[in-house]
Amino acid sequence: SQKIEQNSEALNIQEGKTATLTCNYTNYSPAYLQWYRQDPGRGPVFLLLIRENEKEKRKERLKVTFDTTLKQSLFHITASQPADSATYLCAPLDGNNRLAFGKGNQVVVIP
Amino acid sequence: NAGVTQTPKFRILKIGQSMTLQCAQDMNHNYMYWYRQDPGMGLKLIYYSVGAGITDKGEVPNGYNVSRSTTEDFPLRLELAAPSQTSVYFCASSYSGQGNTGELFFGEGSRLTVL
């Protein structure tokens, strides 16, 4: 069955450092993958989309990579700030042409 | 634009009661979705709609019903509430379908507890 894995442990990181999150998927080949940010008690907010033919995508301090051989996407926050503290959701497109959401990975940026 | 508006934000139901979660969007999006989010789990698609008058089941539709009489509104009906329906419900909309890289715009969620 199709599966999406994000690290269940929170990532604690010092302000100014780069946070790196991993999204692994198995048993399908998504045409694209989206990343969302979710703050406590709020709805997810779209951040970035990367297509299968794109290796890397950037938006301000965010960078996403997509390795279709490894079946993995990496999400980087450079020069992290306390305001970046949130849960980040990975959402590849599944075989039914719908987004399948991972459980999310919490980031805590320590001042 | 208000975006996607959900009501109520919180609700407690007794087992067997029914209720409707309201969702409205003012972005003229054709596509609308209902998800549920349980603690430690990813968002699960309940129902979706590709336009007024058209709805379809998602991954976890049992115990729910939807309708789409207008482009703006997409209410979710819970019949005979059960404790397993305790969750946070999110409504979302998109300009294009998810198969066409449709970015989702989410509401703030409705937290439902069934006792």
Side-chain angles (χ1 to χ4, degrees):
Chain A
S1 63
Q2 298 175 350
K3 202 172 168 184
I4 304 159
E5 290 179 345
Q6 292 189 261
N7 196 339
S8 57
E9 286 188 21
L11 175 66
N12 294 311
I13 191 159
Q14 208 69 35
E15 182 176 3
K17 300 291 186 185
T18 296
T20 298
L21 306 179
T22 303
C23 174
N24 294 304
Y25 56 91
T26 55
N27 296 328
Y28 61 112
S29 300
Y32 70 83
L33 190 147
Q34 296 185 1
W35 282 89
Y36 287 79
R37 169 185 172 139
Q38 187 173 22
D39 292 288
R42 308 292 296 273
V45 174
F46 172 80
L47 295 175
L48 280 166
L49 178 150
I50 186 164
R51 291 180 173 81
E52 60 180 341
N53 61 349
E54 297 174 319
K55 295 293 185 191
E56 182 180 296
K57 204 77 169 283
R58 290 177 186 261
K59 179 183 175 183
E60 297 172 354
R61 294 182 296 107
L62 306 180
K63 184 178 87 170
V64 170
T65 62
F66 195 7
D67 190 325
T68 55
T69 303
L70 290 178
K71 292 188 179 294
Q72 181 181 83
S73 176
L74 298 180
F75 178 86
H76 306 271
I77 308 171
T78 59
S80 59
Q81 302 168 1
D84 296 325
S85 298
T87 296
Y88 293 87
L89 310 178
C90 159
L93 189 70
D94 72 11
N96 294 315
N97 263 357
R98 297 175 197 158
L99 289 174
F101 284 85
K103 297 176 185 180
N105 198 175
Q106 185 184 9
V107 171
V108 178
V109 181
I110 303 161
Chain B
N1 286 352
V4 178
T5 303
Q6 291 183 236
T7 55
K9 288 189 178 2
F10 302 93
R11 183 73 187 268
I12 298 175
L13 277 183
K14 293 183 180 177
I15 294 171
Q17 286 185 321
S18 299
M19 75 159 298
T20 299
L21 299 178
Q22 302 290 346
C23 175
Q25 53 93 8
D26 62 358
M27 296 174 282
N28 203 30
H29 287 168
N30 282 326
Y31 298 81
M32 295 188 74
Y33 314 85
W34 274 105
Y35 288 90
R36 61 177 286 171
Q37 187 176 41
D38 299 314
M41 303 294 289
L43 290 158
K44 300 291 184 188
L45 183 64
I46 305 171
Y47 269 96
Y48 66 99
S49 169
V50 301
I54 306 169
T55 62
D56 209 347
K57 295 178 181 178
E59 187 181 356
V60 290
N62 291 347
Y64 307 94
N65 274 303
V66 293
S67 59
R68 185 97 181 269
S69 56
T70 66
T71 299
E72 295 77 19
D73 300 298
F74 190 40
L76 177 73
R77 177 93 179 148
L78 281 74
E79 305 281 1
L80 298 175
S84 61
Q85 293 178 304
T86 294
S87 188
V88 181
Y89 292 84
F90 288 100
C91 179
S93 71
S94 64
Y95 175 73
S96 60
Q98 294 181 2
N100 292 314
T101 70
E103 160 195 347
L104 299 184
F105 294 81
F106 283 88
E108 295 292 1
S110 298
R111 183 177 296 273
L112 177 67
T113 301
V114 182
L115 299 174

